[in-house]
């Protein structure tokens, strides 16, 4: 059983919900960023043997460095069993060398986390060529939860009978899970990526005319996937287009672009703190921590 939850102030909302669910105390890590970008962390000076650290890895590079410092510090201060809850786990997409010489970041970030944590719990990691989180953190316990049911239930309540569209084949797993048993239709688009902000999305051969379409994906980053899919759905006569995503990264002008494409509602899970958060993964994460 975890007996203390450590978290950072920018994720305090989810941290409080999780500490309530687990009925364990929460301590926020005191963090100071020096003018040159270095970070000084201060943890409670005496830690119990079983500690969980909550840290999502949006803006991954700075947070990874902080997380490694926090984990090392926690061990020195008494933590014997140390678990990571990383609701959004970055670096999962680079899971093979797509060109000679490319570093397979997923493998190395996974090994790095396995070297400092006893278990890693995450939500909807972008696993494609690797089947389980156990493989990502070799020798340690890896748990992949999904927000698809939470988001599917929300859509079914707000828009009964809506058509869920996965913008690419990789999202088929989530859209199927969200739709089945909830009276929602689902179909899968085909996506071709030409660059960071340049994608083509071909809609499937289903009739979207007059229907409430919900684009359903694991992550929105630049938002260009959603923009292109939304435009395609409107061009085919969709009555409305809404969006449900687990991880609302929405970098830069992404949300504005999505709204400019005519998207009405954007719903996300609270894995990444964002104004669109509509469902909480705290109960799921708490249950997973209890079960480990
Ligand atoms: C990739 O396959 C993911 O499922 C998302 O579709 C993708 O990361 C979204 O990226 P963006 O918002 O930059 O188009």
């Amino acid at each position: 059983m975890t007996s203390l939850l450590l978290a950072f102030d920018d994720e305090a909302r989810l941290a409080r919900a999780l500490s309530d669910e687990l009925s364990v105390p929460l301590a926020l890590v005191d963090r100071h960023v020096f003018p040159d970008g270095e970070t000084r962390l201060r943890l409670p000076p005496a830690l119990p043997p079983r500690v969980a650290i909550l840290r999502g890895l949006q803006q991954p590079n700075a947070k990874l460095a902080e997380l490694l410092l926090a984990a090392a510090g926690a061990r020195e201060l008494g933590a014997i069993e140390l678990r990571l809850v990383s609701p959004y786990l970055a670096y999962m997409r680079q899971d093979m060398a797509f060109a000679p010489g490319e570093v397979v970041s997923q493998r190395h970030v996974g090994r790095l986390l396995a070297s400092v944590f006893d278990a890693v719990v995450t939500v909807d990691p972008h696993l494609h060529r690797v089947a389980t989180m156990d493989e990502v953190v070799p020798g340690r316990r890896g748990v992949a939860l999904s927000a698809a049911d939470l988001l599917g239930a929300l859509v079914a309540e707000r828009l009964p009978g809506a058509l869920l569209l996965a913008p690419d084949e990789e999202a088929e797993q989530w859209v199927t899970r969200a739709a089945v048993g909830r009276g929602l239709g689902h179909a899968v688009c085909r996506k071709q990526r030409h660059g960071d902000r340049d994608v083509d999305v071909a809609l499937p051969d289903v009739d979207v005319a007059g229907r409430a379409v919900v684009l359903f994906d694991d992550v929105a980053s630049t938002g260009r996937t959603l923009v292109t899919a939304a435009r395609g759905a409107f061009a085919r006569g969709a009555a409305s287009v809404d969006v449900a995503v687990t991880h609302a990264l929405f970098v830069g002008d992404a949300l504005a672009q999505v709204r400019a494409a005519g998207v009405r509602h954007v719903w996300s899970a609270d894995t990444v703190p964002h104004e669109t958060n509509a469902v909480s993964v705290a109960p799921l994460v708490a249950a997973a921590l209890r079960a480990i």
Side-chain angles (χ1 to χ4, degrees), residues 82-86 89 92 109-111 113-115 117-125 127 130-146 285 288-289 291-292:
L82 193 56
R83 297 167 173 181
L84 171 65
V85 175
S86 191
L89 190 55
M92 292 298 103
V109 169
R111 285 181 188 163
L113 295 178
S115 71
F117 292 102
D118 297 287
V120 176
V121 176
T122 188
V123 183
D124 290 331
L127 301 184
V130 166
T132 65
M133 273 303 294
D134 280 329
E135 290 170 67
V136 174
V137 285
R140 303 295 192 170
R141 192 64 217 284
V143 179
L145 305 169
S146 179
V285 173
L289 284 174
I292 291 174

Side-chain angles (χ1 to χ4, degrees), residues 4-286:
L4 178 72
L5 179 64
L6 284 176
F8 291 74
D9 57 352
D10 55 339
E11 289 173 305
R13 194 168 166 180
L14 177 58
R16 283 196 193 99
L18 186 54
S19 107
D20 286 350
E21 286 285 337
L22 289 167
S23 301
V24 298
L26 164 67
L28 292 182
V29 175
D30 182 68
R31 182 169 44 140
H32 175 75
V33 181
F34 292 101
D36 64 356
E38 285 185 5
T39 307
R40 181 194 63 212
L41 302 179
R42 194 173 287 143
L43 311 182
L47 294 177
R50 294 200 169 93
V51 173
I53 300 183
L54 171 72
R55 197 50 168 155
L57 290 178
Q58 53 279 10
Q59 299 113 36
N61 295 347
K63 287 190 177 170
L64 256 180
E66 272 180 14
L67 182 59
L68 295 177
L69 290 173
R75 296 265 186 209
E76 274 182 355
L77 294 166
I80 294 167
E81 190 186 285
L82 193 56
R83 297 167 173 181
L84 171 65
V85 175
S86 191
Y88 171 69
L89 190 55
Y91 282 117
M92 292 298 103
R93 282 175 283 190
Q94 185 71 32
D95 59 358
M96 64 173 275
F98 296 93
E102 262 181 23
V103 176
V104 184
S105 315
Q106 184 197 73
R107 185 184 307 148
H108 302 297
V109 169
R111 285 181 188 163
L112 194 61
L113 295 178
S115 71
V116 284
F117 292 102
D118 297 287
V120 176
V121 176
T122 188
V123 183
D124 290 331
H126 196 97
L127 301 184
H128 185 42
R129 278 157 282 258
V130 166
T132 65
M133 273 303 294
D134 280 329
E135 290 170 67
V136 174
V137 285
R140 303 295 192 170
R141 192 64 217 284
V143 179
L145 305 169
S146 179
D149 289 321
L150 295 169
L151 289 167
L154 180 92
V155 171
E157 183 201 311
R158 307 270 172 99
L159 294 172
L163 172 67
L164 304 189
L165 274 189
D168 53 38
E169 288 92 340
E170 291 166 14
E172 182 169 9
Q173 52 181 309
W174 297 296
V175 83
T176 308
R177 183 166 174 173
V180 169
R182 298 197 166 90
L184 302 168
H186 69 285
V188 181
C189 305
R190 270 177 299 107
K191 180 165 86 179
Q192 253 199 308
R193 186 174 283 284
H194 308 292
D196 289 342
R197 290 179 163 74
D198 183 10
V199 293
D200 285 330
V201 177
L203 262 65
D205 194 17
V206 290
D207 190 9
V208 304
R211 295 198 68 177
V213 168
V214 179
L215 304 173
F216 204 98
D217 208 353
D218 59 333
V219 53
S221 177
T222 68
R224 294 318 190 266
T225 298
L226 295 174
V227 166
T228 311
R231 287 187 185 139
F234 281 125
R236 294 258 211 103
S240 60
V241 178
D242 299 299
V243 160
V245 290
T246 300
H247 309 296
L249 297 181
F250 287 114
V251 298
D253 67 348
L255 188 58
Q257 294 285 340
V258 168
R259 295 213 189 279
V263 168
R264 186 177 51 173
H265 303 295
V266 180
W267 298 300
S268 65
D270 59 354
T271 52
V272 176
H274 194 261
E275 62 183 89
T276 58
N277 290 170
V279 294
S280 180
V281 297
L284 283 182
V285 173

